[in-house]
Amino acid sequence: EILALHREGHAFPVEIVFSEIPVDGRRGFVGFMRDISKRKVADLKLRRSQSLFSTVFSASPIPIVFSRLTDGRYVEANEACFALFGYRREEVIGRTTVELGVWPDPAQREQLLGQLRADGRADNLEICLRRRGGENIDVLYSAQVIEFLGEPCIVATIFDVTSRKRAEQERHLSDERFAKIFHCSPDAIVISRLDNGIYVELNEAWAELSGYSRAEQIGRSSKELDIWVEPVQRDELLAQLAVSGRVRDFEFRLRRKNGDVADSLLTGEVIELHGERCLLAILVNVTERNRSTRRLRESERRFADVVDAAGEYVWETDNESRYTYVSARIERVLGYATADVIGKVAYDFMPPEEVARLRNWFDARPDPGTPIRNLEHMSVTKDGRQIWQQVSGVPIFNASGQRIGFRGTGLDITERKLAEQRIEELATRDALTQLPNRRLLTDRLSQGIMAAQRSGGLIAALFIDLDRFKTINDSLGHAAGDELLRAVADRLQQQMRKGDTLARIGGDEFVVVLEALRVPEDAGAVAQKIIAVLSEPYRIAGNTLTTSASVGISVFPGDAPDGLTLVRNADMAMYFAKEHGRRNYQFYSEEMNARAVEKLTMESTLCRALEREEFELYYHPKFNLVDGKLMGVEALVRWNHPELGVVGPARFIQILEETGLIVAVGEWVLNRACRQSRDWSEAYKRDIRMAVNLSVGQFSKGLTRTVHDALVGAELPPERLELEITESVLMKNVDENIDVLRRLSDLGVSIAIDDFGTGYSSLAYLRRFHVDTLKIDQSFVRDVDTNLDDAAIIEAIVALGHSLKLTVVAEGVETDAQRRQLLALNCDQCQGFLFGEPIPAVEFEALYLQSTIQKGTSNNPFTVRPEVSKG
């Protein structure tokens, strides 16, 4: 047992041994005590030494391994060893190097073991070992034979020198490669001492460049050989080397042995060679390159001057369309510096709608690598202006033939485009209203019809004509008329939808094209809005004016197969709207077309109708409302058309006026009616007043001479001729018309105002017109027996006429009730189908003139209504 005893206040360890012995017949013990302090100190030191060894052994970064000398089995190894060879501890301890396959060369292992048995150690042997997985490593191996655990063992340290060995090999190979490159390089290479410039090594390329052989240069300096054309350049080179130890692309002029000067480019670096600081310099002869560069620069300068003189800039892009180069002129075009443009694409400088258009254009190209010729597009400048550019470009290819981008020029063509737009506007826009003209309308219609054919939709053309525009234009002047047209255009534009087209095609005629309609009736709704908005008062030239519009509508595809026909049919429908009282709209129909064809046929045959004597006069009687006495007769022209039969004036008078034939036909009617009146007077001894209608085309200052000649030619007294002029005709050019009426009145003929009540005449005008008769329009007579308003109007007209001592005649009397009511309203005379329709002269004689002579009595139509044939 080990106990701790105290001696003089200090504890010390002792070892006690007890033995049993008999003492006086009893059991007893004898003990021995020994001081073990020194042994305890030695044991402590040993344990500390073992602990320190274990710590150093385990923590050592150098692999350490213990193996038996006898059989080579591993006894111990540290973690660095396991890490180097790639094995775990349990895979190594107790196994031999042969079992693990550590030695790739077994003979080398046997040689090492023999050396250890003989010498007991081996120091810094370079050997090759194998790691787990078969990788060989180069190591520095040191070993010693020691006594370990009671038997001879080998303790070995293994230092991995694989990287160092490979670095040495690489360095050796590098030295070899450098030597080969140095001497075989096509570039001139020379090594010289930095302090005095003496050449220590050079290659053949340098000898060829300088013109000196190797023997002539080694040991001599550049200064001695006088290779520096400009010595100051050598000083500049040394200054750069002193600062950074290297120089890149230093250009200088080199004098060769034969005196020629070569432009050289030097790249050098300060190196350590054999303990001396030297300059390794690589030189390239750039004489020819500089010449080519100067020629290229001159060529580029000339090209740049030409391009700049043309107002163009040069650009280059990569395959992603990013700018890699732009010339300085782009700043004058877009306002951006070249640095702001590099790396961006042209789309970055375009408005969004232009980007979409250009992308579609490029996507549609069959080959994206083909040249671009005169491509025009819009760009946005740095200050926000929109400009037009014209771009041309060709593909760029590398040495292997691959396309790497595009190169081309750009030109600001804004001024030209503005001029073209102005020319286009002049060609396609109405100068007064800036609306599309007929040409642009035709183009828009064509596009719209093609779209409708694809979609199956409807397109409507609305032909708009202002009512009474000529009256306003003539009375207030063309300036006021132009102002009114602009105001009308503004109102119409406010009614347009997006995609609709409004055009002015001449005078007071406008056309609206409505696309994507669901049903034709939608066009009618638009026409109603247009009529309503155009009917509102205008303030023009200080005057408040009112006008209205007549609208014709034609719808594709039902009414027309193309745009031209669509507008023509809408025009035709507009004329029908005017015929139906104006201020309304009419849809085109086939009946209109039939009437138009008929009108065209009439126009082509009317010219020769007089020559062929196809015109004939029919006569319509007028009677006294009190006693039924025949008071006069109205001559009405008929046309015996060779194909259409008897045609009434309503179907051809307007054509006569439009063609100007009304003057000749009107003169024929006047002469024929005067002669007929004279013949009847002579044959039947009755003075019957003959009434002849005058159209607007006849009403001029020359009318007085025509009437005078007709009276003289027929030998007819003037009082037997009555001239009927409509109220609307009289109200045009009032002052001139008053003068014409005065002249006619001076001849002695009677003047009657026809269709009275439908115009705008006033009492003042009636007093000045020198008229004798008022003929009440049949629109008031039609309902006089049932409509109190119509009766009141007629009563007022009769009172007005009588107050001016005028005869009042009612037109369109068709019933006896109407006759009786007119009689009650004190109307003087009547005329209408109640007493018979207009009939030829022969029938008129038989019915109204011969019967009076034969019977000796008056044929009173109020008691006996004659049976007449309807001519």
Side-chain angles (χ1 to χ4, degrees):
E1 293 192 15
I2 299 175
L3 301 174
L5 300 180
H6 290 268
R7 181 175 58 197
E8 297 177 359
H10 296 283
F12 62 95
V14 295
E15 184 180 49
I16 302 176
V17 179
F18 291 93
S19 296
E20 183 178 350
I21 59 172
V23 178
D24 298 333
R26 293 183 293 180
R27 294 176 65 198
F29 297 89
V30 61
F32 302 90
M33 185 170 57
R34 182 171 53 194
D35 185 356
I36 60 172
S37 298
K38 292 182 180 180
R39 195 186 76 186
K40 280 287 189 180
V41 171
D43 287 345
L44 179 60
K45 290 182 178 179
L46 178 60
R47 285 196 298 274
R48 288 177 177 174
S49 176
Q50 289 174 341
S51 175
L52 179 61
F53 170 78
S54 177
T55 301
V56 172
F57 178 78
S58 299
S60 173
I62 300 174
I64 304 173
V65 61
F66 289 84
S67 61
R68 293 192 185 101
L69 182 63
T70 55
D71 56 9
R73 293 190 182 278
Y74 290 115
V75 177
E76 189 60 80
N78 66 357
E79 290 300 323
C81 182
F82 299 141
L84 175 63
F85 288 96
Y87 291 98
R88 298 191 302 276
R89 177 182 179 83
E90 59 269 19
E91 293 176 319
V92 174
I93 302 304
R95 301 181 69 184
T96 67
T97 57
V98 176
E99 292 173 343
L100 292 175
V102 171
W103 293 85
D105 185 359
Q108 189 182 37
R109 173 179 174 275
E110 293 303 323
Q111 183 181 357
L112 175 62
L113 288 175
Q115 181 179 348
L116 289 172
R117 290 188 182 104
D119 301 333
R121 63 183 302 128
D123 296 318
N124 297 325
L125 298 179
E126 289 190 9
I127 61 177
C128 180
L129 297 180
R130 181 178 293 136
R131 300 181 69 230
R132 183 175 193 168
E135 178 188 357
N136 291 340
I137 57 175
D138 295 314
V139 300
L140 201 62
Y141 187 90
S142 296
Q144 187 173 350
V145 178
I146 64 171
E147 190 76 20
F148 186 68
L149 300 178
E151 58 181 326
C153 291
I154 301 171
V155 57
T157 59
I158 304 169
F159 189 75
D160 185 4
V161 295
T162 304
S163 298
R164 190 194 72 188
K165 289 281 289 183
R166 291 176 181 171
E168 289 177 352
Q169 292 172 357
E170 288 292 333
R171 186 169 59 253
H172 178 69
L173 291 174
S174 176
D175 290 342
E176 289 182 350
R177 286 195 295 268
F178 175 77
K180 289 180 181 179
I181 293 171
F182 184 86
H183 290 288
C184 299
S185 173
D187 294 329
I189 306 176
V190 62
I191 302 175
S192 60
R193 293 192 181 99
L194 191 61
D195 55 353
N196 55 22
I198 291 177
Y199 296 128
V200 296
E201 191 58 83
L202 53 91
N203 65 357
E204 290 299 321
W206 168 255
E208 182 179 349
L209 174 61
S210 65
Y212 295 96
S213 66
R214 186 175 187 278
E216 290 176 310
Q217 297 186 75
I218 297 299
R220 301 179 68 185
S221 68
S222 60
K223 189 174 183 179
E224 291 179 69
L225 296 174
D226 194 26
I227 70 167
W228 292 89
V229 175
E230 301 175 20
V232 67
Q233 291 184 316
R234 178 178 180 275
D235 298 336
E236 293 174 2
L237 173 65
L238 292 174
Q240 291 188 33
L241 290 172
V243 173
S244 61
R246 63 177 60 186
V247 67
R248 294 287 183 269
D249 298 330
F250 181 84
E251 191 167 354
F252 72 101
R253 302 178 70 204
L254 181 148
R255 184 181 291 109
R256 306 177 74 239
K257 182 179 180 179
N258 62 5
D260 292 343
V261 175
D263 294 330
S264 302
L265 203 64
L266 183 150
T267 296
E269 188 163 348
V270 177
I271 63 172
E272 193 79 20
L273 185 63
H274 306 307
E276 293 183 304
R277 298 181 74 226
C278 296
L279 171 63
L280 172 65
I282 301 175
L283 294 96
V284 179
N285 185 357
V286 294
T287 305
E288 195 58 38
R289 190 198 72 178
N290 284 355
R291 288 174 185 166
S292 299
T293 300
R294 285 192 292 270
R295 288 194 296 268
L296 178 60
R297 286 176 180 170
E298 181 66 21
S299 175
E300 288 177 343
R301 186 185 64 78
R302 287 194 297 267
F303 173 74
D305 290 344
V306 171
V307 170
D308 193 63
E312 295 178 301
Y313 63 88
V314 180
W315 55 266
E316 290 183 3
T317 63
D318 58 19
N319 273 334
E320 281 70 43
S321 300
R322 293 187 295 264
Y323 286 115
T324 57
Y325 168 80
V326 287
S327 61
R329 189 178 179 85
I330 196 166
E331 187 168 0
R332 297 169 63 182
V333 176
L334 289 178
Y336 293 95
T338 55
D340 298 330
V341 178
I342 300 299
K344 295 185 178 180
V345 298
Y347 295 142
D348 294 333
F349 306 97
M350 296 182 191
E353 62 276 7
E354 192 73 343
V355 173
R357 184 181 73 85
L358 265 293
R359 287 189 188 279
N360 292 336
W361 186 85
F362 277 103
D363 291 343
R365 294 209 310 163
D367 183 2
T370 55
I372 303 168
R373 303 295 185 194
N374 300 325
L375 173 62
E376 296 181 357
H377 66 81
M378 294 186 70
S379 297
V380 180
T381 64
K382 188 174 183 179
D383 59 5
R385 293 180 299 107
Q386 288 194 350
I387 65 170
W388 278 95
Q389 293 195 70
Q390 184 182 79
V391 175
S392 296
V394 295
I396 309 172
F397 300 94
N398 60 15
S400 60
Q402 294 177 319
R403 181 167 56 86
I404 58 175
F406 270 82
R407 176 186 297 121
T409 60
L411 176 65
D412 184 351
I413 59 169
T414 305
E415 290 186 5
R416 193 197 79 191
K417 291 295 288 185
L418 290 176
E420 289 177 354
Q421 289 175 1
R422 181 55 181 161
I423 293 172
E424 179 69 14
E425 286 178 1
L426 292 174
T428 61
R429 294 280 173 174
D430 171 53
L432 178 64
T433 62
Q434 299 305 307
L435 294 177
N437 61 11
R438 189 183 296 273
R439 176 182 172 185
L440 184 54
L441 172 67
T442 301
D443 181 65
R444 297 267 183 91
L445 262 177
S446 298
Q447 296 178 19
I449 286 176
M450 285 191 291
Q453 288 172 334
R454 291 191 297 267
S455 64
L458 302 179
I459 293 180
L462 279 63
F463 201 105
I464 305 165
D465 185 88
L466 298 182
D467 301 327
R468 297 180 58 249
F469 174 74
K470 187 176 185 303
T471 301
I472 296 173
N473 206 38
D474 291 343
S475 58
L476 297 180
H478 293 289
D482 290 346
E483 188 178 349
L484 175 60
L485 289 174
R486 285 191 290 268
V488 168
D490 290 341
R491 292 189 184 183
L492 288 174
Q493 282 183 308
Q494 294 173 9
Q495 303 300 313
M496 296 299 100
R497 305 171 305 169
K498 184 178 181 181
D500 294 341
T501 298
L502 170 63
R504 177 179 177 238
I505 61 173
D508 59 339
E509 296 177 335
F510 297 84
V511 173
V512 172
V513 177
L514 305 176
E515 298 188 30
L517 295 180
R518 296 178 295 109
V519 292
E521 288 73 14
D522 291 343
V526 175
Q528 280 184 320
K529 292 180 180 179
I530 288 174
I531 293 170
V533 75
L534 295 186
S535 298
E536 295 176 2
Y538 299 83
R539 189 66 181 172
I540 304 294
N543 299 293
T544 300
L545 305 179
T546 57
T547 184
S548 59
S550 299
V551 182
I553 305 173
S554 179
V555 181
F556 173 88
D559 295 338
D562 55 70
L564 184 63
T565 308
L566 193 70
V567 173
R568 186 175 67 241
N569 290 347
D571 185 13
M572 191 183 306
M574 182 274 295
Y575 277 105
F576 275 80
K578 284 187 176 295
E579 290 178 4
H580 285 75
R582 305 175 184 269
R583 198 175 179 180
N584 71 94
Y585 67 89
Q586 294 288 327
F587 279 93
Y588 169 80
S589 65
E590 286 298 332
E591 291 76 9
M592 293 180 185
N593 188 57
R595 289 180 61 181
V597 172
E598 178 184 293
K599 179 181 177 182
L600 185 62
T601 302
M602 288 183 179
E603 287 180 359
S604 63
T605 54
L606 267 174
C607 297
R608 302 181 62 186
L610 273 178
E611 299 176 11
R612 296 175 178 177
E613 298 182 351
E614 293 174 354
F615 290 112
E616 181 182 3
L617 291 185
Y618 277 42
Y619 299 93
H620 201 198
K622 289 187 288 185
F623 299 97
N624 187 299
L625 264 172
V626 177
D627 57 14
K629 181 181 178 182
L630 180 66
M631 301 301 296
V633 62
E634 181 179 1
L636 301 172
V637 67
R638 297 291 187 267
W639 180 18
N640 294 313
H641 194 280
E643 297 176 1
L644 302 176
V646 178
V647 179
R651 295 172 63 183
F652 65 83
I653 289 296
Q654 185 177 355
I655 301 175
L656 290 175
E657 291 181 345
E658 292 173 357
T659 57
L661 293 172
I662 189 65
V663 176
V665 174
E667 187 174 346
W668 177 87
V669 170
L670 184 62
N671 290 328
R672 187 62 177 265
C674 287
R675 289 197 300 270
Q676 186 65 69
S677 179
R678 181 207 60 195
D679 293 344
W680 282 342
S681 177
E682 291 178 352
Y684 301 107
K685 308 303 179 182
R686 295 187 60 180
D687 295 336
I688 301 175
R689 178 177 290 178
M690 179 67 69
V692 176
N693 290 284
L694 296 178
S695 73
V696 63
Q698 297 173 269
F699 210 72
S700 65
K701 291 182 178 180
L703 178 61
T704 305
R705 171 57 60 182
T706 301
V707 173
H708 175 270
D709 292 345
L711 292 172
V712 173
E715 297 180 355
L716 183 70
E719 61 272 13
R720 299 242 297 274
L721 177 63
E722 183 176 69
L723 300 177
E724 294 188 5
I725 303 111
T726 62
E727 185 179 15
S728 58
V729 171
L730 285 176
M731 293 309 299
K732 295 179 180 179
N733 304 317
V734 174
D735 291 336
E736 293 182 10
N737 292 343
I738 289 175
D739 183 61
V740 172
L741 290 178
R742 182 184 60 77
R743 293 174 184 271
L744 292 173
S745 181
D746 290 344
L747 287 179
V749 300
S750 298
I751 305 296
I753 297 181
D754 198 10
D755 300 335
F756 188 79
T758 60
Y760 302 92
S761 59
S762 66
L763 180 61
Y765 284 133
L766 286 176
R767 293 174 59 190
R768 298 174 59 195
F769 274 152
H770 302 280
V771 297
D772 302 287
T773 302
L774 297 181
K775 296 188 71 173
I776 301 174
D777 187 74
Q778 61 181 348
S779 61
F780 300 109
V781 175
R782 186 176 300 116
D783 299 319
V784 66
D785 57 327
T786 58
N787 189 308
L788 296 179
D789 291 337
D790 287 345
I793 291 173
I794 291 177
E795 185 177 16
I797 294 174
V798 170
L800 173 64
H802 289 170
S803 68
L804 295 174
K805 297 181 174 54
L806 305 179
T807 301
V808 181
V809 180
E811 294 183 292
V813 180
E814 297 181 353
T815 67
D816 195 56
Q818 293 171 349
R819 181 189 67 79
R820 289 195 300 270
Q821 181 65 25
L822 290 168
L823 180 61
L825 294 174
N826 296 319
C827 189
D828 300 315
Q829 298 177 15
C830 60
Q831 182 180 14
F833 288 173
L834 174 64
F835 320 112
E837 297 182 6
I839 53 178
V842 175
E843 296 183 24
F844 188 89
E845 291 177 17
L847 190 58
Y848 295 107
L849 301 178
Q850 292 178 3
S851 60
T852 303
I853 294 176
Q854 292 170 357
K855 297 178 182 179
T857 60
S858 172
N859 187 357
N860 190 334
F862 302 157
T863 56
V864 179
R865 179 166 183 171
E867 295 294 332
V868 298
S869 63
K870 295 193 176 182

